Amino acid sequence: MIVKTIKDIEGTSREVFAHNGNWVSKRLLLKEDKMGFSLHETIIKAGTETLIWYKNHLEAVYCVEGEGEIETTREGEIYTIKPGTMYALDKNDRHYLRAFKNDLKLLCVFNPPLEGGEVHDEDGSYPIK
Ligand code: 9YT
């Protein structure tokens, strides 16, 4: 049994900050936990836009707080994100992620699991400002 709180993650290597300050992610479960997926709580800072492309991972995201949108770069489709919204990048979809007036609090699951060494550009999320 694995039991953790978000406070257990804070200040450890599992708390990862974007270079550009757009997001901070707390990685509750990683590959080494042997669950077959990783589980993250990610805060996307209000007023930011981030270009993300997870080429090697499938990701599902559930919004707990805040409002924003995603825009796919291929089709230009825009989807509103608010508490209760889930989106799944089932085609490794390259997209912009935007947070509006308040921080977005997102729960994210990755298959295959992140190993924990992936930070910033290496994890497929490319800052554009
Ligand atoms: C919203 C989103 O894609 N979050 C992913 C997790 C975060 N970028 C991380 O842990 O690296």
Side-chain angles (χ1 to χ4, degrees), residues 18 42 85 100 103 121:
T42 302
T85 305
F100 294 158
D103 290 356
D121 287 0

Side-chain angles (χ1 to χ4, degrees), residues 9-129:
I9 306 294
E10 289 168 1
T12 74
S13 60
R14 288 183 176 223
E15 184 179 29
V16 177
F17 297 85
H19 281 310
N20 58 8
N22 278 13
W23 52 262
V24 55
S25 187
K26 297 171 192 173
R27 296 167 171 175
L28 289 150
L29 291 170
L30 289 169
K31 184 179 181 185
E32 66 188 9
D33 297 309
K34 297 185 166 41
M35 292 293 289
F37 56 86
S38 60
L39 176 65
H40 312 228
E41 182 198 89
T42 302
I43 304 293
I44 308 293
K45 296 295 172 59
T48 64
E49 175 181 80
T50 306
L51 181 58
I52 296 176
W53 192 8
Y54 297 115
K55 298 176 198 175
N56 305 309
H57 298 81
L58 301 176
E59 185 197 22
V61 178
Y62 180 76
C63 177
V64 179
E65 288 176 17
E67 282 198 29
E69 66 184 15
I70 48 174
E71 178 177 348
T72 59
T73 59
R74 184 188 291 262
E75 304 91 352
E77 293 168 332
I78 294 180
Y79 303 91
T80 300
I81 301 168
K82 57 187 181 183
T85 305
M86 184 282 302
Y87 64 90
L89 302 168
D90 61 335
K91 299 190 172 57
N92 306 98
D93 316 58
R94 187 171 178 266
H95 61 286
Y96 292 101
L97 176 57
R98 304 184 182 107
F100 294 158
K101 286 185 180 164
N102 300 306
D103 290 356
L104 275 177
K105 183 186 280 190
L106 306 173
L107 302 180
C108 314
V109 176
F110 283 83
N111 169 26
L114 265 66
E115 299 189 11
E118 307 91 335
V119 289
H120 316 302
D121 287 0
E122 288 77 43
D123 74 359
S125 58
Y126 300 102
I128 59 166
K129 37 175 157 171

